[in-house]
Amino acid sequence: MPLGYDVVARKLIVNEDEALRVRRVFELFVETGSGVETVRRLQAAGVTSKSGRPLDKGDVYKLLSNRTYVGEAPHKGQIHAGEHQAIVPRELWDQAHAILQISPRVRANQNRAQTPALLKGLIFGVDGRALSPTHCRKNGRLYRYYVAQRVLKGDATDDDSIVRRVSAAEIEAAVVDQVRALLRQPEIVGGTWRAARKEAPDLTEGETQDALHRLEPLWEQLFPVEQARIVRSLVERVVVGPAGADIRLRLDGLGGLVRNLTAIQPDALRAAA
């Protein structure tokens, strides 16, 4: 009997408590791209099998490959629609299986080199719940997204007020563009100078302007971790809804940004291709 279901009158009936565990397996695998890391987090959280045994790596891969969870019933090599209720959203299933198409060794290398999600912990839906970074590969290309928690959990996905997912590249570019536009405003330069002088009394307004203007040509040369540090110092919250994105900036972080830009060392830059 698969975790997540009970048999009642010879039919599979969703066991809600166990279904939460199954969805958590898929969510963690999509988030980490690693069976080992998924098991580590599951065991740390005390997630168990139907018998109460801690889930191991074999359990995780067996769960990930079980089509019962998307409402399907394999029979004699054919896939049919099942009579039971699915407990894993199709989108989450597809994301997990896109990752499974990549060999574990390649996935491990990708995870080590993976670009940090620039807005992780900063991007939310109109329901106040964070969007989680995720990615998948199609035809050898990597696609990154921020996905609503309610989609990952299969909860109220038909709610028109909820943005199901957002292209990471598009929303990150919009946030960076807004930050850049902000830094070009003369009144912002003056305010930043006054804020920065609290910790750097000798700083001139001209030096402040030069530092802010450095961000434009410097941005693409920075390591992703350095980009993320700057964004986190300036962005308070990004709220996405059907009407677009509301980007709330942290103006008190501008003084620190000037100090960051004047202190960036050459080894923070990527080697030119």
Side-chain angles (χ1 to χ4, degrees):
M1 178 55 50
L3 182 69
Y5 292 97
D6 295 324
V7 174
V8 178
R10 302 181 66 179
K11 291 186 177 181
L12 291 179
I13 303 298
V14 174
N15 179 314
E16 295 296 344
D17 176 66
E18 293 180 4
L20 290 174
R21 294 183 233 169
V22 172
R23 282 194 291 270
R24 189 61 183 147
V25 170
F26 278 82
E27 291 164 4
L28 285 174
F29 185 73
V30 167
E31 179 183 340
T32 66
S34 165
V36 172
E37 179 63 13
T38 297
V39 169
R40 188 190 70 78
R41 296 196 191 185
L42 290 170
Q43 293 184 350
V47 178
T48 63
S49 66
K50 215 170 183 61
S51 65
R53 174 179 54 79
L55 295 176
D56 59 26
K57 190 176 176 181
D59 296 324
V60 165
Y61 282 105
K62 189 176 294 184
L63 286 168
L64 292 172
S65 63
N66 191 338
R67 290 186 170 273
T68 302
Y69 295 131
V70 282
E72 296 177 345
H75 181 68
K76 294 184 178 180
Q78 300 293 318
I79 305 298
H80 305 278
E83 297 180 357
H84 60 282
Q85 179 183 342
I87 59 178
V88 172
R90 173 63 67 174
E91 184 173 27
L92 182 57
W93 169 274
D94 288 344
Q95 289 170 345
H97 278 254
I99 296 170
L100 285 170
Q101 299 305 309
I102 308 168
S103 75
R105 178 175 295 180
V106 171
R107 289 206 308 270
N109 291 336
Q110 288 173 346
N111 288 338
R112 281 192 290 271
Q114 189 177 358
T115 300
L118 202 62
L119 302 179
K120 184 177 180 179
L122 299 175
I123 185 168
F124 297 82
V126 294
D127 60 354
R129 299 173 71 178
L131 274 69
S132 295
T134 187
H135 65 275
C136 66
R137 282 190 177 272
K138 294 181 181 179
N139 299 323
R141 292 187 61 185
L142 178 68
Y143 295 87
R144 296 189 303 115
Y145 304 96
Y146 292 97
V147 181
Q149 292 292 323
R150 293 171 70 176
V151 171
L152 291 175
K153 298 179 185 303
D155 174 27
T157 55
D158 293 331
D159 188 340
D160 290 338
S161 70
I162 302 301
V163 173
R164 293 170 58 85
R165 69 178 183 179
V166 179
S167 164
E170 291 179 8
I171 190 63
E172 289 171 0
V175 170
V176 170
D177 285 347
Q178 183 146 334
V179 168
R180 287 174 168 174
L182 174 77
L183 301 183
R184 288 194 290 265
Q185 297 176 18
E187 62 272 22
I188 294 299
V189 175
T192 301
W193 174 52
R194 289 188 290 272
R197 286 185 66 193
K198 294 178 182 179
E199 295 188 29
D202 296 334
L203 186 70
T204 69
E205 187 169 3
E207 289 171 336
T208 300
Q209 184 174 31
D210 289 343
L212 294 179
H213 287 174
R214 282 188 65 197
L215 183 62
E216 192 77 26
L218 183 65
W219 181 261
E220 298 301 333
Q221 301 178 56
L222 294 175
F223 277 128
V225 67
E226 187 71 23
Q227 292 177 340
R229 187 166 68 87
I230 291 174
V231 166
R232 289 178 185 281
S233 72
L234 292 179
V235 177
E236 179 180 343
R237 193 178 183 92
V238 178
V239 179
V240 293
D246 176 17
I247 303 170
R248 305 173 192 176
L249 299 177
R250 192 188 304 276
L251 298 183
D252 58 359
L254 285 169
L257 174 63
V258 169
R259 295 191 298 276
N260 288 341
L261 290 174
T262 55
I264 289 174
Q265 301 298 317
D267 59 3
L269 301 177
R270 292 195 300 244

